[in-house]
Amino acid sequence: MGLVIVGSLAFDTIETSYGRRERIVGGSSTYCALAASFFTQPGIVSVIGEDFPEETIDFFKKRNIDLEGVSKEAGPTFHWEARYGLDPNQRKTIKTELNVFENFKPVLPTKYKKVDILFLGNIDPDQQDDILVQVEHPKLVAMDTINLWINTKPESVLKVLEKVDIFFANEEEIKLLTKQTNLIKAGKRLMEMGPSFIAMKKGEHGALIMGQEFVFGVMAHPCEEVVDPTGAGDAFAGGFLGYLDKVKSFDQEAIRKAAVYGSVMASFVIEDFGIDRFKSLSPSEIEERYNTLKKLVSF
Amino acid sequence: MGLVIVGSLAFDTIETSYGRRERIVGGSSTYCALAASFFTQPGIVSVIGEDFPEETIDFFKKRNIDLEGVSKEAGPTFHWEARYGLDPNQRKTIKTELNVFENFKPVLPTKYKKVDILFLGNIDPDQQDDILVQVEHPKLVAMDTINLWINTKPESVLKVLEKVDIFFANEEEIKLLTKQTNLIKAGKRLMEMGPSFIAMKKGEHGALIMGQEFVFGVMAHPCEEVVDPTGAGDAFAGGFLGYLDKVKSFDQEAIRKAAVYGSVMASFVIEDFGIDRFKSLSPSEIEERYNTLKKLVSF
């Protein structure tokens, strides 16, 4: 397998200034895999309940996403409810019902064990570690996390961080983990903790990628209508890792371009609720926006 | 005259996580003119008290800054005191003593009236307007403002805004003025209010420049030691307008490069307290950092 994505498949109830949607399909691996599917054929490791829609499964298959790592269990699918402020950077989690995710013991299908690129979405760090011991010599391991785990299981987060190559995190998570308010210092500190690359997600301000030898900054696409920010970070990781899997290179040039494709995929997902924007998205739109981001910073 | 800068010459008392400095030289026209002086020979319109140091006057002269528009009045120079948080984005004004600035009636020297580029720093909008009526056919007028004037004299701010070509403002000011949380929408709204270009300053995230036909994003230089953020916005405007005056062009290419030089000059000023960094700065350091900002966004 080229790229395997571990994360949630979920129902999300979302309220933004553009409206409210009840129990629409979401989850970190949903957003990440759909974004990656425009570059490669990723596999998902996750768990769903009996209520997860066949229609979404069909859409995953249509996009050549491998679902051998998705198990179906008795009970309801993971459900998350959140409300965004008028400023879409402000988000409040209203409810988290783990449901079938609560006792999720991820077991990798045999063909996933020889994976090139493994993405550990923002699940429990102990579950992330359970996955890590099952893979054989991956070329690149990336992880994401959330404040919840940094606050409740810091040692587990640090243990996984030590073993990964790329760490995806937003500004708040980075500052919480490093106790540093300066992002550049924080990035250097994080690289001392394990990863070779830090992908710092800054929402509307884009992202900074730090490596041992370079810093790369990518802008966010100037977006006037942020309908639903949910999944932007996962789509960023999906575009980023999907592109790396496509080009089979992890050199600086590839990492820079990967970050731009990450920003492009994130910019699409926020234009509509849930995964709807992916349904109409064409490869030429992706290339067009890649070029827009190039023009945006040209001087 | 090529570039005339209207703004304060001041004493600043500053506390940051790097220490405290009592009554060091500051002020918007100080920072703006010094930054611009690396590209052109700007003039300042301002007022000082009898206590303003000769040493700084000499430094201005050494940098070929024209001081014919600076009047000296009986009484103490404008004094501002502020404290920054551990996070340098958080600033609290402790004290503002207007002193000789209180009754400042700016009168332009004759040679300043035929100015190419006029910068109206963040002084009282009625004073900005008093200046505007004195200039004859300037090619480009730029203005800055602060929350204080947007809150206390919104109509005066809007009146000046209508007459200028470039509006420099930070995110908070833009949102306050337009009641818009989305920066892109806010920028478009501002362009309907008068200016052809909006320079949106975003601190560590750099700046966005919006014109009728384009959006340009420039990064901030990745800085690990933000010693004193005071004057960054004025140095940005100084580098920006100084470069435009040097190349005598306001086309899109010039505007883009001007914004990069603005970001470069802002990045130097925050590396030390007050204006100290300008004392050791060399043109080759400026070019080097310009190239660093180019490399930072290359893909």
Side-chain angles (χ1 to χ4, degrees):
Chain A
M1 283 293 288
L3 170 62
V4 167
I5 292 157
V6 189
S8 59
L9 294 170
F11 287 118
D12 291 345
T13 296
I14 304 287
E15 203 173 309
T16 79
S17 57
Y18 287 81
R20 182 179 167 92
R21 293 293 182 278
E22 302 273 348
R23 300 179 64 77
I24 55 175
V25 169
S28 58
S29 66
T30 303
Y31 286 107
C32 187
L34 283 171
S37 75
F38 287 85
F39 305 91
T40 187
Q41 297 181 11
I44 293 178
V45 175
S46 191
V47 57
I48 53 175
E50 285 154 332
D51 52 359
F52 197 78
E54 268 310 311
E55 186 200 334
T56 306
I57 298 290
D58 290 343
F59 180 49
F60 285 150
K61 287 179 182 163
K62 201 180 130 202
R63 293 229 42 87
N64 292 311
I65 295 168
D66 190 290
L67 300 173
E68 204 184 312
V70 177
S71 60
K72 188 185 264 193
E73 305 291 339
T77 296
F78 178 61
H79 177 225
W80 178 71
E81 184 172 341
R83 191 183 301 146
Y84 292 86
L86 257 184
D87 178 347
N89 299 307
Q90 287 156 358
R91 180 170 81 187
K92 194 181 168 191
T93 293
I94 310 287
K95 212 173 2 185
T96 303
E97 297 164 339
L98 287 174
N99 299 332
V100 293
F101 224 86
E102 187 154 13
N103 298 307
F104 178 43
K105 293 262 176 273
V107 178
L108 286 190
T110 309
K111 74 174 182 196
Y112 284 17
K113 292 187 178 178
K114 291 188 195 302
V115 64
D116 287 339
I117 303 178
L118 176 67
F119 178 62
L120 302 167
N122 59 22
I123 58 173
D124 184 322
D126 293 328
Q127 288 174 334
Q128 291 178 324
D129 205 42
D130 285 347
I131 297 275
L132 262 183
V133 297
Q134 296 177 51
V135 293
E136 297 163 11
H137 313 296
K139 290 182 184 147
L140 190 90
V141 178
M143 84 178 271
D144 190 3
T145 192
I146 45 175
N147 280 355
L148 172 71
W149 307 123
I150 300 172
N151 284 319
T152 58
K153 294 187 165 189
E155 283 169 25
S156 298
V157 171
L158 293 177
K159 189 178 159 195
V160 181
L161 193 62
E162 217 179 286
K163 303 178 192 172
V164 306
D165 304 293
I166 306 189
F167 181 49
F168 288 89
N170 65 32
E171 285 178 276
E172 205 187 333
E173 291 151 6
I174 288 167
K175 289 173 181 178
L176 184 66
L177 199 55
T178 62
K179 315 269 184 271
Q180 270 289 347
T181 56
N182 182 289
L183 265 189
I184 309 301
K185 270 190 188 165
K188 289 193 174 172
R189 180 79 199 87
L190 284 168
M191 283 193 283
E192 290 164 9
M193 293 156 100
S196 305
F197 302 101
I198 313 296
M200 306 194 251
K201 297 175 288 181
K202 307 193 296 173
E204 64 180 322
H205 304 300
L208 278 185
I209 316 300
M210 287 188 73
Q212 301 294 340
E213 309 282 319
F214 72 102
V215 182
F216 173 62
V218 59
M219 295 275 166
H221 181 254
C223 176
E224 280 185 63
E225 310 282 349
V226 181
V227 174
D228 174 12
T230 308
D234 300 305
F236 179 84
F240 191 113
L241 300 173
Y243 176 77
L244 289 183
D245 190 42
K246 179 185 172 185
V247 298
K248 300 286 180 199
S249 164
F250 309 130
D251 65 14
Q252 196 190 125
E253 192 195 334
I255 295 276
R256 285 171 181 256
K257 289 185 173 166
V260 179
Y261 279 113
S263 182
V264 165
M265 299 314 286
S267 78
F268 283 118
V269 84
I270 64 179
E271 290 179 351
D272 206 341
F273 279 99
I275 59 173
D276 282 359
R277 190 61 181 86
F278 285 131
K279 291 178 184 164
S280 62
L281 190 61
S282 70
S284 65
E285 282 180 289
I286 294 172
E287 288 312 304
E288 197 184 312
R289 195 156 289 186
Y290 179 90
N291 291 326
T292 300
L293 289 187
K294 197 171 204 110
K295 186 79 189 139
L296 181 66
V297 296
S298 295
F299 64 89
Chain B
M1 283 293 289
L3 170 63
V4 168
I5 292 157
V6 188
S8 59
L9 294 170
F11 287 119
D12 291 345
T13 296
I14 304 285
E15 201 174 312
T16 79
S17 58
Y18 287 81
R20 182 179 167 90
R21 294 292 182 279
E22 303 273 348
R23 299 176 64 78
I24 54 175
V25 169
S28 58
S29 66
T30 303
Y31 285 107
C32 186
L34 283 171
S37 74
F38 288 86
F39 304 92
T40 187
Q41 298 181 11
I44 293 179
V45 175
S46 191
V47 57
I48 53 175
E50 286 156 330
D51 52 358
F52 198 79
E54 268 310 313
E55 185 200 336
T56 306
I57 298 290
D58 291 342
F59 180 49
F60 284 151
K61 287 178 181 163
K62 201 179 128 201
R63 292 230 43 87
N64 293 310
I65 294 168
D66 191 288
L67 300 174
E68 205 184 311
V70 177
S71 60
K72 188 185 262 191
E73 305 291 338
T77 297
F78 178 61
H79 177 224
W80 178 71
E81 182 172 344
R83 190 184 299 146
Y84 292 87
L86 256 183
D87 178 345
N89 301 306
Q90 287 156 358
R91 178 170 84 185
K92 196 181 167 188
T93 293
I94 309 288
K95 212 176 354 186
T96 304
E97 298 165 338
L98 288 175
N99 300 332
V100 292
F101 223 86
E102 189 155 10
N103 298 309
F104 178 44
K105 292 263 176 270
V107 178
L108 286 191
T110 309
K111 74 173 183 197
Y112 284 20
K113 292 188 180 178
K114 292 189 193 300
V115 63
D116 289 338
I117 303 178
L118 176 67
F119 179 63
L120 303 166
N122 60 25
I123 59 173
D124 186 321
D126 294 327
Q127 289 175 335
Q128 290 179 324
D129 205 41
D130 286 346
I131 297 276
L132 262 183
V133 297
Q134 297 177 50
V135 294
E136 297 163 11
H137 313 297
K139 292 184 183 145
L140 190 90
V141 179
M143 83 178 272
D144 191 5
T145 192
I146 46 174
N147 280 354
L148 172 68
W149 307 122
I150 300 172
N151 283 321
T152 59
K153 294 186 166 191
E155 282 168 26
S156 298
V157 171
L158 293 178
K159 189 180 160 196
V160 181
L161 193 62
E162 219 179 286
K163 304 177 192 172
V164 305
D165 304 294
I166 307 189
F167 180 51
F168 288 89
N170 67 32
E171 285 179 278
E172 206 186 335
E173 290 151 6
I174 288 167
K175 289 174 182 177
L176 184 64
L177 200 54
T178 62
K179 315 268 186 270
Q180 270 289 349
T181 57
N182 182 289
L183 266 190
I184 308 301
K185 270 190 189 167
K188 290 193 174 174
R189 180 80 199 87
L190 285 168
M191 282 193 284
E192 290 163 8
M193 294 155 98
S196 305
F197 302 102
I198 313 297
M200 306 194 251
K201 298 175 287 180
K202 307 192 297 173
E204 65 179 321
H205 304 299
L208 277 185
I209 316 300
M210 285 187 74
Q212 301 294 341
E213 309 280 319
F214 72 101
V215 183
F216 173 62
V218 57
M219 295 275 164
H221 181 253
C223 177
E224 280 184 62
E225 310 283 349
V226 181
V227 175
D228 175 11
T230 308
D234 300 304
F236 179 84
F240 192 113
L241 299 173
Y243 176 78
L244 289 184
D245 190 41
K246 178 184 172 186
V247 298
K248 299 285 181 199
S249 164
F250 311 130
D251 66 12
Q252 195 188 126
E253 192 194 334
I255 295 276
R256 285 171 180 256
K257 288 183 175 165
V260 179
Y261 279 112
S263 182
V264 164
M265 298 315 287
S267 78
F268 283 118
V269 84
I270 64 179
E271 289 178 352
D272 206 341
F273 279 99
I275 59 172
D276 283 0
R277 189 62 181 84
F278 285 130
K279 292 179 184 163
S280 62
L281 190 61
S282 70
S284 66
E285 281 179 291
I286 293 171
E287 288 311 304
E288 197 184 313
R289 195 156 291 185
Y290 179 91
N291 291 326
T292 300
L293 288 189
K294 198 171 200 111
K295 185 81 188 140
L296 180 65
V297 296
S298 296
F299 63 90

